[in-house]
């Protein structure tokens, strides 16, 4: 899990012709984390199918085990969890290693904050650079005592409150992780905790908390955004959960099919939650031929199959309001923009600078190295597209321990005159362990170093 200490394993992806066929992407990462956490807090045995078995989710599973839950794998994506009940978390005997996962860290900090246990959170180099002040501040108000490394970073020690306090909190940044941390802390408080989000962010925590029987209500605010209230101490009832396919992971084969000439691909079972569907909306505005087929519900979430065909894309000004619904998809949108006709302007996305890497800087550097004209802005990126023809390529790009940077450039390589070499494939395993075999099934192949 500690990438950065093992020797890097480069990746080159090549397409000799169109991509075609069907694929199923792995389970949603956000939902998988929440499924393990809430199952671990229920009283009794929950069963989860379609769980993402990426390293980030495995870090969450290990942490819940360390705090007393039984978390077991029965088969591919099929897990059972015996919960300890709200208030029942045990003192972990060793530091909780969060690996590369910001979601595990922030959500678990919320859980621990209202339990009388002390936990040390550690992570890899990328996670240790990321800001935790955004959760330290509200959880501190709830009574948790947190000693962080300089800059509010990992490693940190969190002493949960003996008598946690309910708060009313308006989020200063649009962050589902911060919202969820506060709501999860509120689970073990016998009064009402309220979070207001000025713009809607992914609502998987709200949906799943309700599904488990928590006393939670969410309503839109007149000025926009939502007010979410949770009254703790409800007993959570174990569930049988099915995790839909991850729309963020689907973004990679989806854009690959859009930009490789002649492609026609069907991606099955992809989550369509309106707080996550920004990429499909924006690509459609750019002229993408994307059809949503057989809309249905899986595990309380809307799902559809996505048929995508190679399309001539046009550059647009991407409305900044769409950002929270596709925040993790900008790196792959930059790649789509690199093949579009004209300029694509993406602003209001400064949050990308504090993800697994500074995604604006990392993508700008790699795109430039591959011959794409870009202009980096403090809060975004402008990409001048090729108009559909291949980009120059022939570069090695740095992934900075960031799975989405690695997969984005692997996709760009498919439409490069000379392949793009991704310096390290290891981070891909955090969210999409089967990325390479899936792309191979669609017709891509792994290139050799001499081709780069
Ligand atoms: C996530 C929320 C997003 C997203 C992350 C997963 C979640 O982060 O970038 O990959 O599961 O809640 P923020 O809400 O902090 O922006």
């Amino acid at each position: 899990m500690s990438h950065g200490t093992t020797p890097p394993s480069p990746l080159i992806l090549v397409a000799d012709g169109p991509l075609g066929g069907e694929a199923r992407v792995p389970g949603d990462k956000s939902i998988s984390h929440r499924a393990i956490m809430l199952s671990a807090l229920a009283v009794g045995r929950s069963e989860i199918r379609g769980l993402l078995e990426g390293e980030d989710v495995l870090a969450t599973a290990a942490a819940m085990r360390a705090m007393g839950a039984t978390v077991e794998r029965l088969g591919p994506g099929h897990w059972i969890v015996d919960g300890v009940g709200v208030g029942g978390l045990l003192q972990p005997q060793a530091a909780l290693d969060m690996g590369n996962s910001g979601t595990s860290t922030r959500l678990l900090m919320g859980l621990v904050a209202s339990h009388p246990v002390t936990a040390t959170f550690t992570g890899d180099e990328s996670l240790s650079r990321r800001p935790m002040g955004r959760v330290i501040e509200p959880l501190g108000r709830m009574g948790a005592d947190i000693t962080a490394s300089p800059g509010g970073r990992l490693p940190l020690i969190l002493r949960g409150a003996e008598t946690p306090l309910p708060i009313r909190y308006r989020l200063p940044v649009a962050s589902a992780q911060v919202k969820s941390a506060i709501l999860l802390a509120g689970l073990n408080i016998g009064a009402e905790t309220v979070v207001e989000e000025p713009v809607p962010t992914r609502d998987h925590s709200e949906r799943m908390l309700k599904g488990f029987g928590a006393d939670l209500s969410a309503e839109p605010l007149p000025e926009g955004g939502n007010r979410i209230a949770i009254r703790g101490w409800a007993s959570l009832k174990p569930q049988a959960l099915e995790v839909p396919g991850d729309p963020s992971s689907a973004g990679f084969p989806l854009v690959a099919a859009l930009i490789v000439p002649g492609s026609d691909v069907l991606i099955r079972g992809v989550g369509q939650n309106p707080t996550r569907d920004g990429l499909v909306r924006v690509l459609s505005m750019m002229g993408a031929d994307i059809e949503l087929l057989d809309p249905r519900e899986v595990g309380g979430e809307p799902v559809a199959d996505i048929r995508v065909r190679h399309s001539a894309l046009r550059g647009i000004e991407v409305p900044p309001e769409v950002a929270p619904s596709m925040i993790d998809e900008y790196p792959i949108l930059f790649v789509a923009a690199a093949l579009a006709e004209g300029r694509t302007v993406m602003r209001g996305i400064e949050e990308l600078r504090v993800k697994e890497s500074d995604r604006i800087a990392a993508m700008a550097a790699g795109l430039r190295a591959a011959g794409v004209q870009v202009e980096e802005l403090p809060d975004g990126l402008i990409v001048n597209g090729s108009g559909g023809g291949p980009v120059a390529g022939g570069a090695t790009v740095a992934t900075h321990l960031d799975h989405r940077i690695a997969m984005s450039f692997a996709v760009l390589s498919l439409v490069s005159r000379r392949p793009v070499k991704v310096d390290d494939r290891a981070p891909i395993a955090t969210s999409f362990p089967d990325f390479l075999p899936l792309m191979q099934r669609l017709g891509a192949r792994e290139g050799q170093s001499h081709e780069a």
Side-chain angles (χ1 to χ4, degrees), residues 9 33 55 64 74 77 124 141 147 153 172 174 179 199 210 236 288 314 326 339 363 377 391 407 413 444:
S9 160
H33 283 297
E55 290 170 355
M64 295 319 299
L74 299 185
D124 72 1
R141 290 197 204 183
T147 308
R153 297 192 155 78
K179 170 176 69 175
V199 288
K210 273 193 205 157
L236 300 187
R314 297 180 297 276
M326 56 171 295
L339 273 285
M363 288 302 298
L377 310 167
V391 304
M407 290 184 276
S413 180

Side-chain angles (χ1 to χ4, degrees), residues 139-287:
L139 297 178
R141 290 197 204 183
M142 298 175 96
D145 175 13
I146 301 163
T147 308
S149 298
R153 297 192 155 78
L154 297 192
L156 63 76
I157 301 176
L158 191 159
R159 288 175 198 81
E162 294 278 346
T163 320
L165 307 168
I167 58 170
R168 283 172 182 274
Y169 194 75
R170 191 168 168 86
L171 296 180
V173 276
S175 167
Q177 293 179 351
V178 179
K179 170 176 69 175
S180 302
I182 299 168
L183 295 175
L184 291 175
L187 269 179
N188 197 28
I189 302 176
E192 195 179 62
T193 295
V194 179
V195 185
E196 281 185 13
E197 53 175 7
V199 288
T201 64
R202 66 191 68 194
D203 63 356
H204 308 302
S205 296
E206 295 91 307
R207 286 174 187 247
M208 206 184 282
L209 278 162
K210 273 193 205 157
F212 271 86
D215 182 358
L216 178 140
S217 63
E219 57 192 50
L221 290 165
E223 69 274 21
N226 297 302
R227 175 187 191 275
I228 305 116
I230 186 164
R231 189 171 282 278
W233 289 355
S235 167
L236 300 187
K237 288 174 271 311
Q239 301 294 310
L241 300 166
E242 197 177 337
V243 180
D246 196 323
S248 300
S249 298
F252 300 102
L254 193 158
V255 168
L258 273 180
I259 60 179
V260 174
S263 299
D264 185 349
V265 163
L266 185 68
I267 311 172
R268 289 205 183 271
V270 184
Q272 296 297 310
N273 182 311
T275 62
R276 296 284 300 282
D277 69 349
L279 180 69
V280 167
R281 283 189 280 135
V282 167
L283 290 171
S284 303
M285 288 162 69
M286 295 172 76

Side-chain angles (χ1 to χ4, degrees), residues 28-31 33-34 102-103 106-107 130 134 173-180 201-202 204-205 248 276 324 327-328 351 355-356 359 403-404:
D28 189 281
K29 181 155 74 73
S30 292
I31 296 175
H33 283 297
R34 288 157 172 84
T103 310
R106 296 192 177 117
L107 271 56
R130 298 181 67 186
R134 54 183 61 194
V173 276
S175 167
Q177 293 179 351
V178 179
K179 170 176 69 175
S180 302
T201 64
R202 66 191 68 194
H204 308 302
S205 296
S248 300
R276 296 284 300 282
I327 195 67
D328 293 336
E351 267 295 301
K355 294 293 178 188
E356 286 82 329
R359 288 181 169 162
H403 52 137
R404 301 204 198 277

